[in-house]
Amino acid sequence: MKTLAGQTWWLIGASEGLGHAVATAMARDGADLLLSARSEDRLREVALETGGRPLPVDVSDPESVARAARQAGEIDGLIYLAGAYWPLSAQEWDSAKIETMIDVNLTGAVRVLGHVLPAMIARDKGRIVLTGSLAGFRGLPGSLGYGQSKAGLMNLAQGLQADLQGTGVAVQLVNPGFIKTRLTDKNEFSMPFLMQPDEAAGHVLRAIRNERPATSFPAVFSWLFRAGRVLPTGLWNRIFARG
């Protein structure tokens, strides 16, 4: 896929951070954009910048998702970028925050796919891009709720890829590292290879164009997480233990 010109893409989580940057990059490439998030004011601003159409949605509300999907109509592609995050350890257990992260990051994607994917399968055409995280490869300290939601989303993408192999519906997974956003501003620990949203959006757009099933970035940092899946638990925990 060389260009997105003339294609209609629905971006969910487009009002801030990576989602905003991806919308900007895709607009430059000529895509027609449907822009979703909870904040109508921020969506209108991004729509003015990108020429996209604001389509407010609360992914935690099934009725809101169903209404937005009806308004979106037939689309060529969907990118799920909605995210909730708080740094949270076992010592700071907060069920409400954990449930919110899992609901927005994982269950919200399931709600949206329930309206979008069957239509794509019926047409035998479409593209789904799910945003995982390097934090989803293996458990990390202070990642309760977030790490598990991203691990689930990554597994969801892989399962869909297996089911849809050989069809006209493609599912892609992108796994970013640390990106400078209002969410990572909550972190008080060092964040190696911290990227600006525009840089991360470039990785996402290249992945879409190249039709890669999975892309993890930044590359050097991602090697540690992918290799970490085979490390003994004790060694992994000593490497990442804080304090």
Side-chain angles (χ1 to χ4, degrees), residues 150-169:
K150 291 300 185 178
L153 196 69
M154 292 161 69
N155 190 280
L156 173 63
Q158 292 160 355
L160 291 174
Q161 288 169 349
D163 285 339
L164 298 170
Q165 178 72 28
T167 75
V169 181

Side-chain angles (χ1 to χ4, degrees), residues 11-100:
L11 277 60
I12 299 181
S15 64
E16 303 279 352
L18 178 59
H20 182 183
V22 169
T24 301
M26 294 184 77
R28 288 197 206 103
D29 208 42
D32 297 321
L33 303 178
L34 301 172
L35 306 170
S36 288
R38 287 187 302 173
S39 172
E40 294 188 40
D41 291 340
R42 284 293 300 132
L43 280 180
R44 282 194 289 268
E45 292 175 12
V46 178
L48 286 173
E49 294 173 15
T50 62
R53 170 187 162 197
L55 187 60
V57 67
D58 180 353
V59 298
S60 66
D61 180 350
E63 291 186 6
S64 176
V65 171
R67 182 169 55 251
R70 287 193 300 269
Q71 294 172 349
E74 185 174 314
I75 58 175
D76 296 295
L78 165 77
I79 307 182
Y80 193 83
L81 298 137
Y85 169 73
W86 293 271
L88 198 63
S89 69
Q91 292 85 351
E92 305 160 320
W93 185 277
D94 186 320
S95 292
K97 288 180 179 178
I98 293 172
E99 290 171 12
T100 297

Side-chain angles (χ1 to χ4, degrees), residues 78-81 105-106 109-110 112-113 127-133 150 152-158 160 171-176 213 215:
L78 165 77
I79 307 182
Y80 193 83
L81 298 137
N105 301 349
L106 176 57
V110 173
V112 173
L113 288 172
R127 178 75 59 91
I128 302 290
V129 182
L130 299 179
T131 309
S133 169
K150 291 300 185 178
L153 196 69
M154 292 161 69
N155 190 280
L156 173 63
Q158 292 160 355
L160 291 174
V171 177
Q172 293 180 270
L173 173 65
V174 292
N175 302 314
T215 301

Side-chain angles (χ1 to χ4, degrees), residues 129-148:
V129 182
L130 299 179
T131 309
S133 169
L134 297 186
F137 278 108
R138 188 160 179 176
L140 293 165
S143 68
L144 288 182
Y146 185 78
Q148 294 75 55

